[in-house]
């Protein structure tokens, strides 16, 4: 059994995503409207989950012998939607991979376009949406995988990136009269459109994330300059690629060097 959306071309998947995003945006976040387990569920998470599988009977499925629930379970296939960092998922993923025969795919919405609207909590006034920075890139996935290093590589473990555009609604901070946007808080993130859909199901798929001008042998500093990953993120990304067998370490001396396998 597999996801029905994988039988659709990208245009059909995009249309499905937009429809579900609109339905989720205008609906209340109440249990039952989008299936069990969506009580207080953020709309981006709820949209992605329903996009993957509209049959809510497959949502929040139990994993035998544990308190864990799978976001989506279709037979022996488990899908986990994660809108934030991957570290909190580690115990659940470790159990699935070590104690069951299930495959597991972590689905992560990657924000590649973002606009922002400000909400004044005093009167509920909402500003017009304006395009802003703070977008994510596929290569950012590598650093996020570092907490899961001990689970890589595994033929039953995959990652799916959904490139999306969103509108962030943020609450102004009325206590700061000079700059009410300072120390503002996110109220909700509304998904708007699906712009890409890529799955990394084997180490070979990660080669596509390497910059084309990466030299035969390089330091982490060079990798950082070519990818835009900074500091610990660059080191984490290199370690993940080495664990996946995409890179090999060629020197342990400072600065350490690596080569593409």
């Amino acid at each position: 059994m597999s996801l029905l959306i994988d039988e659709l071309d990208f245009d059909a998947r995009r249309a499905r995503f937009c429809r579900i995003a609109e339905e989720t945006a205008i609906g209340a976040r109440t249990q039952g409207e989008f299936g069990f387990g969506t009580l207080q569920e953020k709309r981006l998470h709820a949209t992605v989950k329903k996009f993957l599988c509209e049959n809510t009977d497959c949502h929040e499925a139990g994993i035998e012998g544990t308190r864990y629930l799978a976001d989506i379970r279709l037979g022996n296939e488990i899908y986990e939607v994660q809108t934030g960092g991957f570290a909190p998922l580690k115990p659940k993923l470790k159990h699935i991979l070590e104690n069951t025969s299930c495959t597991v795919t972590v689905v992560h919405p990657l924000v590649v376009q973002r606009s922002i609207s400000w909400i004044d909590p005093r009167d509920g006034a909402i500003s017009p949406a304006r395009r802003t920075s703070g977008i994510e890139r596929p290569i950012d996935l590598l650093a996020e995988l570092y907490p899961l290093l001990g689970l890589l590589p595994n033929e039953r473990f995959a990652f799916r990136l959904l490139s999306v555009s969103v509108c962030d609604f943020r609450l102004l901070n009325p206590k700061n009269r000079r700059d009410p946007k300072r120390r503002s808080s996110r109220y909700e993130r509304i998904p708007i459109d699906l712009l890409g859909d890529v799955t990394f199901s084997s180490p070979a798929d990660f080669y596509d994330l390497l910059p084309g001008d990466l030299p035969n042998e390089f330091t982490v500093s060079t990798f950082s300059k070519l990818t835009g990953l900074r500091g610990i993120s660059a080191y984490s990304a290199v370690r993940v690629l080495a664990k996946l067998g995409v890179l090999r370490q060629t020197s342990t001396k400072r600065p350490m060097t690596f080569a593409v396998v």
Side-chain angles (χ1 to χ4, degrees), residues 64-114:
E64 298 85 347
T66 74
R67 58 180 174 83
Y68 295 126
L69 297 174
D71 278 338
I72 299 169
R73 183 166 184 174
L74 297 171
N76 228 27
E77 298 180 8
I78 289 174
Y79 297 86
E80 288 295 324
V81 179
Q82 188 69 358
T83 57
F86 293 164
L89 279 179
K90 185 175 180 179
K92 182 195 290 189
L93 298 175
K94 187 173 187 294
H95 175 84
I96 294 171
L97 294 172
E98 293 182 356
N99 298 285
T100 78
S101 59
C102 294
T103 64
V104 58
T105 301
V106 174
V107 184
H108 179 65
L110 192 75
V111 177
V112 298
Q113 287 184 8
R114 186 169 77 103

Side-chain angles (χ1 to χ4, degrees), residues 50-168:
K50 197 173 181 185
F51 163 75
L52 294 170
C53 178
E54 290 195 80
N55 182 0
T56 56
D57 290 340
C58 300
H59 293 186
E60 305 302 323
I63 299 174
E64 298 85 347
T66 74
R67 58 180 174 83
Y68 295 126
L69 297 174
D71 278 338
I72 299 169
R73 183 166 184 174
L74 297 171
N76 228 27
E77 298 180 8
I78 289 174
Y79 297 86
E80 288 295 324
V81 179
Q82 188 69 358
T83 57
F86 293 164
L89 279 179
K90 185 175 180 179
K92 182 195 290 189
L93 298 175
K94 187 173 187 294
H95 175 84
I96 294 171
L97 294 172
E98 293 182 356
N99 298 285
T100 78
S101 59
C102 294
T103 64
V104 58
T105 301
V106 174
V107 184
H108 179 65
L110 192 75
V111 177
V112 298
Q113 287 184 8
R114 186 169 77 103
S115 59
I116 188 169
S117 286
W118 297 96
I119 303 174
D120 189 330
R122 293 168 296 186
D123 58 11
I126 302 176
S127 71
R130 299 185 64 179
R131 184 70 62 86
T132 186
S133 58
I135 62 172
E136 300 169 310
R137 306 165 302 152
I139 198 166
D140 295 331
L141 168 69
L142 295 175
E144 294 296 331
L145 291 180
Y146 187 80
L148 307 181
L149 200 65
L151 305 179
L152 303 174
N154 190 306
E155 62 183 9
R156 293 189 290 115
F157 196 14
F159 300 90
R160 187 167 187 165
L161 292 183
L162 301 180
S163 297
V164 300
S165 66
V166 304
C167 183
D168 276 345

